[in-house]
Amino acid sequence: MVKVNPHYAEVSENYMFLDVVKRARAFTEKNPGVKILKLAIGNTTEPLVPSVVAAMHASVDKLAARESYTGYGDEQGNTDLRQAVATWYGARGVTLDASEVFISDGAKPDCANIVSIFSDESIVAIQDPVYPVYRDANTIGGRRIVYMAATEANGFVPALPSEHADIIFLCSPNNPTGAVMTREQLQAFVDYALANKSVIIFDAAYSEYIRDANIPRSIYEIPRAVECAIEIQSFSKAAGFTGVRLGWTIVPQALATEDAAAGALNKYWHRRQSTMFNGASNIAQEGGLAALSPQGQKETHEQVDYYMENARVIREGLTKAGFTVFGGESAPYIWLKCPAGLSSWQFFDQILEKAHVVTTPGSGFGGNGEGYMRVSAFGHREDIEEAVRSIAANLKAV
Ligand code: MLT
């Protein structure tokens, strides 16, 4: 008799953001005509930048002609794009080879799938609160999880795992708290990984939001990180590709484990991707290549600045209204403390019912997120301003 994977019983019925959408939809059904402002899921709202649009149009034209049509691309991603990614790292002082770059259809699937190159027995450390993908994917995979607390007391940057961990997920700038890890804090994790023969999976999807020049934008800015870390990146938040789908994963040739010599893990990930993934859309890859060009970088940085101005409006507006907020200085997420001891879902309901704003309850990201809300800076400026005004006018901060 076939049996289902029993670990599905260990995760909540819905992916967390779906619960938020359902509650918002129920409110709209009860209150037709009331406009709600969505500051929940980190979904980009501004159009693709001109150089990306031009490159994607040209890519469609290429596909439209027999002479220039292409089918499947290189299995690891287009060579030009992989080289452009390596050059992009080079500009920030990190030397990587194009053979270490794997183009993906976004960071989320790679965050979930990368652990497949490691033993199922691996103990996985994740922070609490955490981007739910690391937690749910590893729970469904039946792996043992060790939690690293990220609380107000430690500035939402977790201490090293308190018990042995084989794989450590880190995300800086952090989703959901908006905290960033300093060079010293990252160095401590790299030292731990080298000493314990562990591997760090570094999710750098929000690196372009860093405003403090002293904060590393890649784990590979830390000496010897290439020996113990995989980095996952995304065009979603940096270039508005949330619906286009494109990202990359770096599996360094120098990465080694106790039972795998340097180069072996790169080969395993290549084997996994060429077997179970057929490459990102060639139109998206042409767009990604344009996004990494000097002009594309200029245009996408302006777009990131726009969202960071939204973050400032939220942070300063809510602070002025008397709320306690964290994050949002080098990240597009603001971590708002619920007033008066309200739980995350209680405050979620109040913000929705009184201010008509949808946010994300911190408890959905883990036990330590209880009592907090995540407010996303992705939105049209006028909606962000209206949402902040509405929260300030309609909700008590104490
Ligand atoms: C979020 O809101 O946490 C992100 O948009 C989710 C994602 O990037 O997958």
Side-chain angles (χ1 to χ4, degrees):
M1 185 182 84
V2 65
K3 289 188 177 165
V4 298
N5 176 348
H7 300 297
Y8 276 89
E10 295 161 28
V11 292
S12 55
E13 187 184 343
N14 292 319
Y15 183 56
M16 192 258 290
F17 289 106
L18 201 60
D19 283 333
V20 171
V21 169
K22 278 188 172 176
R23 288 239 195 166
R25 207 175 283 147
F27 175 85
T28 304
E29 273 162 20
K30 260 206 264 161
N31 302 274
V34 174
K35 179 184 173 193
I36 56 170
L37 299 158
K38 296 179 182 158
L39 307 189
I41 188 153
N43 202 0
T44 48
T45 54
E46 302 312 301
L48 293 172
V49 300
S51 42
V52 168
V53 172
M56 291 175 79
H57 278 160
S59 179
V60 171
D61 288 343
K62 266 203 256 173
L63 294 177
R66 195 171 198 189
E67 310 72 55
S68 50
Y69 173 82
T70 50
Y72 296 128
D74 302 341
E75 73 285 349
Q76 203 173 328
N78 289 355
T79 310
D80 289 357
L81 180 56
R82 287 190 291 114
Q83 187 52 57
V85 169
T87 305
W88 182 84
Y89 276 104
R92 32 193 82 181
V94 170
T95 305
L96 291 173
D97 186 76
S99 70
E100 301 175 303
V101 181
F102 292 81
I103 303 301
S104 69
D105 59 350
K108 186 177 179 178
D110 281 14
C111 285
N113 295 328
I114 192 72
V115 283
S116 69
I117 60 173
F118 300 102
S119 153
D120 282 350
E121 315 279 283
S122 306
I123 299 168
V124 179
I126 59 174
Q127 73 163 67
D128 173 9
V130 73
Y131 178 40
V133 177
Y134 321 146
R135 180 192 64 208
D136 292 358
N138 282 298
T139 303
I140 290 168
R143 289 177 202 91
R144 190 154 85 75
I145 297 179
V146 171
Y147 289 95
M148 304 177 289
T151 61
E152 198 173 333
N154 59 22
F156 303 101
V157 174
L160 296 167
S162 54
E163 53 183 300
H164 173 79
D166 300 302
I167 299 170
I168 303 163
F169 278 84
L170 295 177
C171 175
S172 173
N174 189 260
N175 178 11
T177 66
V180 284
M181 295 179 77
T182 63
R183 197 167 295 279
E184 293 69 31
Q185 287 163 336
L186 283 172
Q187 181 74 60
F189 275 92
V190 168
D191 290 345
Y192 174 95
L194 291 169
N196 291 276
K197 308 221 179 306
S198 312
V199 172
I200 295 170
I201 312 290
F202 189 71
D203 181 352
Y206 300 95
S207 67
E208 302 316 281
Y209 289 79
I210 293 174
R211 288 295 172 271
D212 179 342
N214 295 316
I215 299 293
R217 288 180 292 169
S218 164
I219 187 88
Y220 302 126
E221 291 179 42
I222 307 301
R224 296 189 61 200
V226 283
E227 296 169 39
C228 64
I230 288 171
E231 179 160 297
I232 297 178
Q233 255 289 5
S234 172
F235 285 86
S236 289
K237 313 295 157 69
F241 275 43
T242 46
V244 175
R245 310 306 308 144
L246 194 69
W248 72 73
T249 290
I250 304 293
V251 185
Q253 298 288 2
L255 180 69
T257 56
E258 230 159 2
D259 58 353
L265 288 156
N266 179 286
K267 283 208 182 73
Y268 284 159
W269 186 240
H270 185 275
R271 181 72 169 86
R272 194 269 171 207
Q273 290 299 79
S274 51
T275 308
M276 303 187 195
F277 177 61
N278 244 345
S281 139
N282 37 25
I283 302 167
Q285 293 194 67
E286 293 285 355
L289 188 59
L292 295 183
S293 70
Q295 179 60 20
Q297 289 281 284
K298 183 176 169 288
E299 292 168 3
T300 56
H301 287 166
E302 280 165 13
Q303 193 166 79
V304 168
D305 287 346
Y306 177 90
Y307 293 126
M308 282 308 291
E309 174 61 12
N310 286 352
R312 188 194 63 76
V313 168
I314 298 168
R315 210 165 23 83
E316 292 184 5
L318 295 182
T319 304
K320 199 161 157 222
F323 292 97
T324 303
V325 299
F326 304 91
E329 286 177 331
S330 274
Y333 296 123
I334 288 86
W335 196 233
L336 163 65
K337 196 167 183 169
C338 301
L342 291 174
S343 74
S344 299
W345 277 110
Q346 282 170 334
F347 197 41
F348 172 92
D349 286 336
Q350 282 197 6
I351 302 175
L352 180 57
E353 279 157 27
K354 296 185 180 170
H356 306 156
V357 177
V358 190
T359 52
T360 307
S363 55
F365 298 99
N368 284 326
E370 181 58 272
Y372 291 88
M373 308 301 297
R374 193 194 72 173
V375 186
S376 161
F378 294 106
H380 299 312
R381 177 72 40 76
E382 60 277 18
D383 290 344
I384 297 282
E385 286 171 346
E386 194 181 333
V388 171
R389 265 198 307 274
S390 182
I391 293 174
N394 294 298
L395 286 151
K396 289 199 183 76
V398 281

